[in-house]
């Protein structure tokens, strides 16, 4: 199948997130495009068709986000931190999963194709024209963990601070609806307030309203 957005356009969109195009951006774009073709989905036409377990962050992950629309912020990408240029793409409508990883010899092949360039430049340029078989290894896989539930939009109001709490992130304490910042120690305090000494595992300070009826 042909994707509605071209390789060139995806590369240009990826560059917008960085100061220049790098080899791992090209790999990320090519990897995500291959996944879309293998799973017969087109993110330009289908709404949020894929879930992605991304095994490395930074440039490669940004490029995959550009192509698939799946990201940690919309709950459709999980960063695994394996340090591998690889990802598993799951078609949400069917559960079909394919893991695509960098071919162990792709760097050497790229340098051989463009020997007059530096290794970095050769990888950046050759990766754009090399066949998928020289760039990647891929296989169908079965997940050992369930996909997370993507909740519908939801919001409540914290009964202590009055802030609106979205995405089912509220905490119930003694029948009170509270936000995590009020229940646990927050990552910030007002510049006019001295931080209260609160250990990370301490749930509530004694005078918290949640302790009162």
């Amino acid at each position: 199948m042909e994707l509605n957005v071209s390789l060139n356009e995806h590369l240009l969109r990826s560059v917008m997130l960085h100061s220049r195009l790098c080899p791992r951006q090209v790999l990320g774009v090519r990897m995500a495009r291959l996944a879309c073709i293998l799973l017969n989905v087109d993110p330009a036409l289908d709404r949020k068709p894929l879930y992605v377990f991304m095994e490395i962050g930074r440039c490669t992950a940004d490029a995959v986000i550009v192509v698939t629309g799946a990201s940690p912020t919309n709950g459709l990408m999980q960063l695994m931190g394996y340090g591998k240029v690889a990802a598993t793409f799951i078609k949400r409508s069917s559960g079909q999963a394919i893991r695509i990883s960098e071919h162990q010899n792709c760097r050497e092949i790229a340098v051989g194709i463009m020997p007059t360039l530096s290794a970095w430049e050769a990888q950046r340029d050759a990766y754009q024209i090399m066949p998928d078989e020289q760039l990647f290894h891929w296989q169908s896989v079965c997940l050992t963990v369930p996909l997370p539930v993507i909740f519908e939009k939801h919001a409540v109001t914290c009964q202590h601070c009055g802030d609106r709490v979205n995405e089912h992130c509220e905490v119930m304490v003694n029948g009170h609806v509270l936000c995590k910042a009020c229940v646990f120690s927050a990552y910030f305090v007002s510049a006019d307030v001295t931080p209260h000494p609160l250990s990370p595992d301490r749930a509530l300070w004694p005078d918290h309203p949640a302790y009162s009826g």
Side-chain angles (χ1 to χ4, degrees), residues 43-162:
L45 303 178
D46 302 331
R47 184 175 182 272
K48 300 178 178 179
L50 297 175
Y51 188 91
V52 182
F53 287 98
M54 193 74 222
E55 299 185 20
I56 194 167
R58 302 193 179 186
C59 302
T60 313
D62 284 345
V64 170
I65 290 170
V66 163
V67 176
T68 64
S71 74
T73 56
N74 65 17
L76 293 175
M77 175 184 285
Q78 184 174 343
L79 294 175
M80 304 306 293
Y82 289 0
K84 299 180 181 181
V85 180
T88 295
F89 301 82
I90 302 95
K91 187 174 182 177
R92 295 177 63 208
S93 62
S94 67
Q96 183 183 359
I98 294 177
R99 183 178 184 269
I100 302 176
S101 58
E102 176 186 28
H103 194 291
Q104 61 181 5
N105 296 324
C106 68
R107 301 183 185 195
E108 291 77 11
I109 294 172
V111 171
I113 291 174
M114 298 185 172
T116 61
L117 301 178
S118 69
W120 187 92
E121 292 172 326
Q123 291 165 30
R124 179 199 61 197
D125 294 352
Y127 287 170
Q128 298 179 48
I129 60 173
M130 287 166 59
D132 292 327
E133 292 77 10
Q134 290 183 335
L135 279 180
F136 305 114
H137 169 74
W138 62 90
Q139 62 180 140
S140 295
V141 296
C142 296
L143 300 179
T144 59
V145 296
L147 291 182
V149 176
I150 309 299
F151 292 107
E152 296 296 325
K153 290 184 179 180
H154 167 80
V156 295
T157 300
C158 176
Q159 291 177 253
H160 181 235
C161 68

